[in-house]
Amino acid sequence: MNFFWYLIWFVVAVGLLVTVHEFGHFWVARRLGFKVLRFSIGFGRPLLTRVAGADRVEYVVAAVPLGGYVKLLDEREGPVAPEDLPRSFTHRPPWQRILVLLAGPTFNIVFAVLVLWGMLWVNGVTEVRPKVGEVTAGSIAARAGLRSGDEIRAINGEPVSAQRDVVFDLLDAMSARGQALLTLRGADGEMRQANLSVGDPAERRRLTEPAELFHGLGFQFWTPPVPPVLGPVTPDGPAARAGLAAGDRVIAIDGVRMTDFRQIVDYISARPGERLTIEYARGGATHSVRVAVASEEAGGRRIGRIRVMQPAGISYPPEMLLHTDLGAGAALTRAGAEAWNMTTLQARLFWRMVLGRVSLKNLSGPLSIAEFAGDSAEAGIAPFLSFLVLISLSLGFLNLLPIPILDGGQILFQLVEWLKGSPLSERAQALGQQVGIALLIVLMGVALYNDIARQFG
């Protein structure tokens, strides 16, 4: 994927979500009577500036589109005319200051709910039943009695109906006590239970690493069989340069017989940077070609790719799909419930990360976020909107953390002032800001390290 493609969609996503966040602060501040001096989209040198309104607010679009800010009147930052003092930030009641600070994260969460609402209202909900496919011999799942063809109906007593529910609930269970009691319906229709138990804390933490949950537990979801035939081939990709084309049936790779497209994917994914011999059939004749496998980062590790897609027309059978059309009210209710569930799960996992029970490898920095933005945009409008929903919820949650430099930390300062009846000392506030900056530097450092580690395997 082109670097500039990633960069463009990263800027679009961050610019949009930061604008939503800062507009929340701006809108509530204006409604409560604070004097707003500037509303800036981006940082650095102003590119566009417009002054409007009775308060002569500056509306700015700046050169660096990776952020933004709202500047309120505040005598700590410069002299204030006596007639404007009642509208200064520090002269407004603490509860009003708290509302202004809460508004940014709240607008991010509301934005996510509204986008999700529109998607659910227009498209409804299509979910894939959580039917078990391959179970690895000797694995945790195999020892628990999980069998291919089982359908997971509940986890720890909570009903599940789709694969996504299972992913979230298993991650939650493994990062908590390492116990997941599955209620299963077998291929014969019989109901039974299987207990996935992981007692070792280090092993539980490893299961929370990106792409490790199902690999570590030892089972995968069932997917429809796909013949070993190449679908669309990306122009100028490794496969295209070697002469492979859509419709070619792969017979073997390095002499290993191929009977399913996923077998091809697994074999190539495990060999980034290698040269493979692919034997294939085309037009009744058999050919052989050498292919240089590209090395790319995905899911926190290096994988091999030759840039081909699976053949078209492969889909889940109707009995594996659950589709529900939703009216406006039902879609809004479901959007709110999903946003709440994702945010609370995020909060639990973040706290467990602080406690050392969830891997720090889950922290993603700008490189990973840019890659997710580009990949989701390439996949279509719906995947990109889903990406925006997840990032907007994350932005809202992270800004509520009680770290002084974030909205949550500033809210904490205002609550302390409200309770004690006087502001915190300048020294205490300065110390808090320094601690907050240090914590953010650590978090950003870990996230950037994860990004670089993923890029270099």
Side-chain angles (χ1 to χ4, degrees), residues 77-218:
E77 298 180 4
V80 174
E83 63 272 17
D84 283 335
L85 274 176
R87 302 182 63 196
S88 170
F89 182 81
T90 55
H91 281 70
R92 305 302 295 176
W95 66 269
Q96 290 189 0
R97 288 180 248 157
I98 291 171
L99 287 179
V100 170
L101 293 165
L102 276 174
T106 300
F107 268 53
N108 279 127
I109 294 170
V110 170
F111 172 82
V113 171
L114 291 177
V115 172
L116 194 53
W117 175 37
M119 294 173 65
L120 295 175
W121 190 5
V122 171
N123 300 321
V125 181
T126 300
E127 300 173 306
V128 182
R129 293 183 185 275
K131 184 178 179 181
V132 177
E134 181 181 354
V135 179
T136 305
S139 66
I140 295 169
R143 293 196 299 270
L146 209 62
R147 298 194 290 263
S148 179
D150 288 340
E151 182 179 346
I152 303 172
R153 304 302 296 271
I155 298 178
N156 290 334
E158 293 294 326
V160 294
S161 59
Q163 291 182 1
R164 191 184 68 160
D165 300 335
V166 173
V167 173
F168 287 163
D169 287 359
L170 282 179
L171 185 59
D172 195 15
M174 288 301 116
S175 63
R177 295 183 297 276
Q179 297 286 334
L181 182 63
L182 309 186
T183 300
L184 308 168
R185 185 176 69 180
D188 56 2
E190 178 187 357
M191 301 295 292
R192 68 181 199 284
Q193 292 186 323
N195 186 28
L196 301 180
S197 179
V198 182
D200 182 9
E203 177 64 15
R204 293 204 299 266
R205 185 166 53 252
R206 190 183 68 80
L207 289 175
T208 67
E209 294 180 7
E212 281 297 320
L213 180 62
F214 288 92
H215 180 265
L217 292 175

Side-chain angles (χ1 to χ4, degrees), residues 259-336:
T259 59
D260 185 271
F261 187 84
R262 280 181 294 271
Q263 187 182 1
I264 297 173
V265 173
D266 291 343
Y267 192 92
I268 293 173
S269 295
R271 291 162 176 81
E274 297 184 19
R275 294 183 64 85
L276 308 178
T277 300
I278 297 181
E279 184 182 353
Y280 65 97
R282 179 193 297 174
T286 300
H287 309 271
S288 181
V289 68
R290 294 278 286 175
V291 180
V293 180
S295 178
E296 300 181 9
E297 189 277 331
R301 57 181 179 175
R302 303 303 293 181
I303 65 170
R305 282 181 177 168
I306 61 171
R307 285 295 177 185
V308 300
M309 299 177 66
Q310 73 175 36
I314 306 299
S315 60
Y316 284 94
E319 63 271 15
M320 280 292 294
L321 299 176
L322 298 169
H323 180 80
T324 306
D325 289 317
L326 300 173
L332 181 58
T333 300
R334 177 142 185 169

